[in-house]
Structure formats: structure tokens, C-alpha cells
Amino acid sequence: MKKMSKWLVPLSMSAALLAACGGNESGGESLDENNANNAGNNQSNNGESNGEQSDVVETGEADQGVEATGDESVQLDMWIHQTGEEETDFYIKRIDEFNEAHEDIFVNVEIIIDDGGSSYSDSINAALVAGNLPDILALDGPYVASFAESDIIRSIDEYISVEDLEDFVDSIIQQGSYDGELYSLGAMEASIPLYYNKDIFEEEGIEAPTTIEDAWTWDEFLTVAQDLTTEDRYGLNLFMNYGVGEWLTFMGGPFVWSNNGELISEDGSTSDGYLNSPETVESLEFIKTLFEEGVVSLTPGEMQFEEGNAAMALGGPWIAVSAENADMNWGMMPYPYKEVPKSPSGSMAYGITTLSEHPEEAFQMMHWMTNEESTIGLSEVTGMPPVRESAFNAMDKYDELPWSVMRDQVLETAHARPQTPAYPVLTDAFAQAFHAAALGEDVEETLNQQVERVERELRRFQD
């Protein structure tokens, strides 16, 4: 049996990233105006608990229209995290439809209020200690390994079909796998294109690339950013106002990956020689240059890009919402690269807990919430890209610019964040190093210091 210290969910994971989602978590909140304007306010608290417990709101059986009769042979409990109202309503609707379609299975769902801090993982830890975890729970994609290593969720290899595996985009399978087994399925994907102000580009005579093949290299990217920077306008917005948290790993990781670097070894045993590799150092030196050249601000306003005070922005799908609401003339370009095109990936997912007495029925529910119909509907509600190729094929929106850029990134260049039970420390280490580079600090020295932190954490899982 694993040590109890390994069983508890790291406190930082519940606030992981609204960057991959536009809401409160890194996996896909509603992209309403409020979420778009507050993106980043609920970033990772770097593992510090705020001491608050989450409230639990019961839905389904109590007040959602489909009531259990008591005759169902299997009743399942499911937890989902709080999201924007429209997204939450979509989840409840799909769960009600599942209950209507399955006479022998009934799902009771609870919405766990997420305060952007540690409340969701506090609830999971409390349920784990008490032995009353639900059958199915929502989790943030980068933390699958933490849940799997802690024996909170179980492998689903025996339930998923080859047809399904082939339909899910590669990054979702990569995100959901740990130690050679598949543990979760994503509910939605996420990506970060390079947004640009079309009016400014036209004024400056700059042509934006629209395909992966034509994506800008770092040198081209820097040159354009410099050319677009004026006394009253930045060339680029990296949304540093989101704070030092998961956003910096989600947005910044591809700089390393596109330079043929990694944050941790493939077997997950060490970060030494990876997080502080020459490739990672060079990547963060490039970030340092962006700030030294004055093309990007450490303290951008909430609507810097939308107000025309930045010509370009590396942001998630929620920026399209805020840009549209601001009535600006905007477009998308592929993520810039050094050696090979890479783009951000990762979002909310579902896992079946090890305490479930009905894993096969629980998988039916997981499959329902991630099938083609669900992923199309969720994409329409949230603006996040879908997780299935069949969904992309069914949605005309992604056949044309600007959304074809996001589709191509999900299908061709998406790279999942590394799956390691030490991820909460690893992501904070990278975020701290990214921020240090932005501040102009010594990149190599900072990375070596952060590697020491990660190596200490990794030893916990090697005893």
C-alpha cells in the first residue's frame, strides 16, 4: 500500500489553469464575458491551501427533472467542478439525458463549488480519507498522474474500444495516460493561437501566417513584435497579469518543446538535464529577450489586446470571446516555433475512482460525457475545441479561418503537459523560472535551483 502522504491530492491541482479554459480550471470553463475578462484570476496557488472548504450542491436526483425510481440496478455518484452557468447547465442536461436513456443505471451528480483555490482537492482528500469517493469525478488533465499514483482513479484500458482510441485526438490520450495505461478521457481540448489585430497588421503591411507550415520562427516572431512596438503600444501580450501559476506552463511549455526540449525525462524519473537543459535555457533566454526588448509588458491591463494596446497576444479560446465582444477586427495565427511546431494542450477530464463498485457502468457514463454528441455540444457552449476528430469533421466552424488554425494545432502540433505525480511541483518550478526570465534574472541559475525542488519531490515517488 502506498504511503498516506502519497494518497492525498496535491492542494495546488484544483486551481490549475483557467488558461486552458477561460474559467476556473485548466480544462474548460464557460467562455462567457465574465470569465473572459477575469481569465487568470484563479491561477495555481502554488500548493498553498487557503483553508476553505468547498460547498457541495446536489443536482440530478433532487432538482434536475429526472428522478431515481429506486428500481435502477446501479446508481452512480459523480462529481463535477463548478463552472460558468451555461456550461454547468450543459453538463446537467447531458447527465439527465443519460439517465433517461439507461433504465438500469442512474447517475446522481454533485457540483463541487470551486473557489479557485484548493477547495476541490480539499473535497477529494476528505472523501478519500473517509472512504466515500464518488464513482466518477472531474479532474484537471495535467494531474492525471497524481490521481493515478495516489490510487484515486483506475485504468480504463479494459473498457475503451480501439475505435474510440483512434477517434480521440492524440493529445487527449497523451494527457490521460500514465505509466503505460489510460486513466482518463478529456471532456474538451484547449489551445493557444497567436491572436493579432488585423487593422494594425494592415496598417503596418504585415501578412499573418494562417497554416502550420507557414508559422513564424522565433526570429520572425521577435522581429514582427519589435516592429509593432511603439511608444503607446506593445507588440505582444503574454497575459502576465494571470499570475505566476499554471498559465505560464500552459502557455510557455511549447517554447521548450518546439526547441526539442522537455521538462522531465520520458520515464519521469528526473528533471535534471531536462528542466535545466541547454534547450530549456535557450527557450527561456528567448522569453527574457522579449521582455528586454520591451515588446511585452509584465503588467498588462486586463483588456490590453482588445483595446488595441497590444498588436498580438498568445491566449486561449476565451480571447476570441472577449475580442468579439470588443468588436475588434481580429485573427489567429499558429504558435511560433524554433525547431518543430508545438502548441499547448490540455483541459478537464473524467476519471473512474478506485472505490467504485461499478466501474463498467461508470465507464458508460464517462463515454457518454465524451462521445461525439457531447464534445460537439460542449464546444458550442464553451468555445473550446473538441476532443474527437469526428467532432471536428462535423463542425463547419473549424473548416474556415480563424478557427481552422486552432483545429490544425489540436490535430497536428498539440503537446500535452508531462504526466508525473510530481507535476504540481514541476509546473510551479517552470512557472517560477519563466517569471524569473521575464524579470531579467539569470535563467540557468534559476533553472538549476528549481531542478533541486523537483528532484526532492520526485524522490517521494521513488521510495
Side-chain angles (χ1 to χ4, degrees):
M1 179 177 293
K2 293 181 174 66
K3 298 178 181 178
M4 180 58 72
S5 64
K6 294 183 182 179
W7 275 61
L8 298 182
V9 180
L11 293 178
S12 63
M13 70 172 57
S14 71
L17 167 67
L18 105 167
C21 62
N24 299 328
E25 296 256 356
S26 79
E29 310 302 332
S30 292
L31 299 178
D32 55 30
E33 183 175 359
N34 181 64
N35 282 341
N37 290 342
N38 290 284
N41 291 342
N42 297 326
Q43 297 302 310
S44 171
N45 58 5
N46 302 326
E48 298 297 327
S49 171
N50 60 10
E52 297 178 1
Q53 294 294 322
S54 65
D55 298 318
V56 176
V57 179
E58 291 193 6
T59 63
E61 188 174 359
D63 57 6
Q64 294 303 316
V66 179
E67 297 186 359
T69 65
D71 297 329
E72 294 84 356
S73 57
V74 173
Q75 291 206 26
L76 302 173
D77 292 323
M78 181 177 184
W79 284 8
I80 59 176
H81 65 301
Q82 180 194 27
T83 67
E85 182 178 357
E86 188 176 3
E87 183 180 347
T88 299
D89 288 345
F90 175 80
Y91 292 138
I92 293 171
K93 173 177 176 290
R94 288 299 289 160
I95 293 168
D96 283 347
E97 290 171 350
F98 177 89
N99 287 336
E100 292 173 343
H102 296 78
E103 295 182 357
D104 57 341
I105 306 173
F106 187 86
V107 177
N108 300 290
V109 63
E110 293 181 0
I111 303 171
I112 310 300
I113 304 302
D114 189 346
D115 61 3
S118 62
S119 58
Y120 191 60
S121 42
D122 284 343
S123 298
I124 293 174
N125 284 335
L128 179 62
V129 171
N132 58 2
L133 282 169
D135 298 273
I136 311 157
L137 52 76
L139 65 153
D140 197 8
Y143 298 93
V144 167
S146 295
F147 281 85
E149 175 69 20
S150 300
D151 282 348
I152 294 174
I153 57 175
R154 60 171 295 155
S155 168
I156 59 172
D157 280 339
E158 64 184 290
Y159 304 115
I160 191 165
S161 69
V162 173
E163 181 181 7
D164 269 327
L165 283 172
E166 292 177 347
D167 193 33
F168 279 97
V169 298
D170 291 343
S171 53
I172 288 297
I173 300 303
Q174 185 183 9
Q175 170 186 270
S177 299
Y178 172 63
D179 201 21
E181 296 185 78
L182 183 63
Y183 284 87
S184 78
L185 293 176
M188 63 183 81
E189 245 295 15
S191 192
I192 294 179
L194 180 59
Y195 291 88
Y196 68 101
N197 186 312
K198 286 187 173 182
D199 292 335
I200 294 175
F201 269 52
E202 184 176 348
E203 291 171 6
E204 299 295 333
I206 298 173
E207 184 175 352
T210 57
T211 65
I212 302 297
E213 292 74 21
D214 294 329
W216 282 336
T217 64
W218 287 359
D219 289 341
E220 292 170 326
F221 177 46
L222 174 60
T223 298
V224 172
Q226 290 171 323
D227 291 344
L228 292 172
T229 299
T230 66
E231 290 185 358
D232 56 0
R233 182 183 70 212
Y234 286 94
L236 176 66
N237 186 352
L238 293 181
F239 299 97
M240 299 300 289
N241 54 302
Y242 287 0
V244 185
E246 187 65 24
W247 166 250
L248 296 185
T249 303
F250 181 68
M251 177 270 294
F255 283 101
V256 176
W257 301 321
S258 80
N259 197 28
N260 290 323
E262 295 291 345
L263 306 186
I264 194 170
S265 62
E266 185 175 357
D267 64 3
S269 63
T270 182
S271 65
D272 194 10
Y274 296 89
L275 183 59
N276 57 350
S277 69
E279 292 81 7
T280 305
V281 171
E282 183 180 19
S283 302
L284 293 191
E285 287 287 356
F286 178 73
I287 298 300
K288 185 176 180 178
T289 299
L290 291 174
F291 286 87
E292 288 178 340
E293 291 295 312
V295 304
V296 59
S297 173
L298 271 167
T299 57
E302 288 287 340
M303 301 290 285
Q304 185 192 59
F305 174 66
E306 294 85 346
E307 292 172 350
N309 297 320
M312 299 182 291
L314 273 175
W318 53 92
I319 299 303
V321 176
S322 57
E324 198 69 27
N325 290 340
D327 197 29
M328 70 177 294
N329 189 15
W330 60 276
M332 292 181 190
M333 295 181 280
Y335 199 103
Y337 73 99
K338 179 63 185 303
E339 301 293 338
V340 58
K342 295 290 181 182
S343 59
S345 166
S347 196
M348 291 305 297
Y350 297 109
I352 300 172
T353 69
T354 54
L355 296 185
S356 175
E357 296 180 355
H358 307 285
E360 185 173 353
E361 289 83 358
F363 179 78
Q364 291 185 51
M365 181 60 194
M366 177 193 289
H367 184 270
W368 177 276
M369 297 299 287
T370 58
N371 65 18
E372 182 180 336
E373 181 178 354
S374 288
T375 195
I376 289 174
L378 191 56
S379 180
E380 292 173 342
V381 166
T382 64
M384 304 292 283
V387 296
R388 288 179 176 267
E389 293 191 29
S390 58
F392 276 117
N393 294 335
M395 300 179 73
D396 294 339
K397 164 185 176 178
Y398 289 100
D399 290 335
E400 301 177 353
L401 291 172
W403 294 98
S404 59
V405 171
M406 190 171 291
R407 177 203 62 195
D408 292 348
Q409 287 197 158
V410 170
L411 295 179
E412 299 177 32
T413 66
H415 190 292
R417 283 160 280 177
Q419 283 297 352
T420 168
Y423 185 79
V425 174
L426 176 64
T427 184
D428 182 61
F430 181 79
Q432 295 290 344
F434 189 103
H435 188 246
L439 293 174
E441 298 178 9
D442 187 290
V443 169
E444 187 170 4
E445 180 180 346
T446 301
L447 287 170
N448 285 333
Q449 292 170 351
Q450 295 299 331
V451 161
E452 292 179 7
R453 290 182 56 207
V454 179
E455 290 301 295
R456 285 196 299 271
E457 181 69 7
L458 285 170
R459 285 194 288 272
R460 293 181 54 228
F461 303 99
Q462 295 168 355
D463 295 339

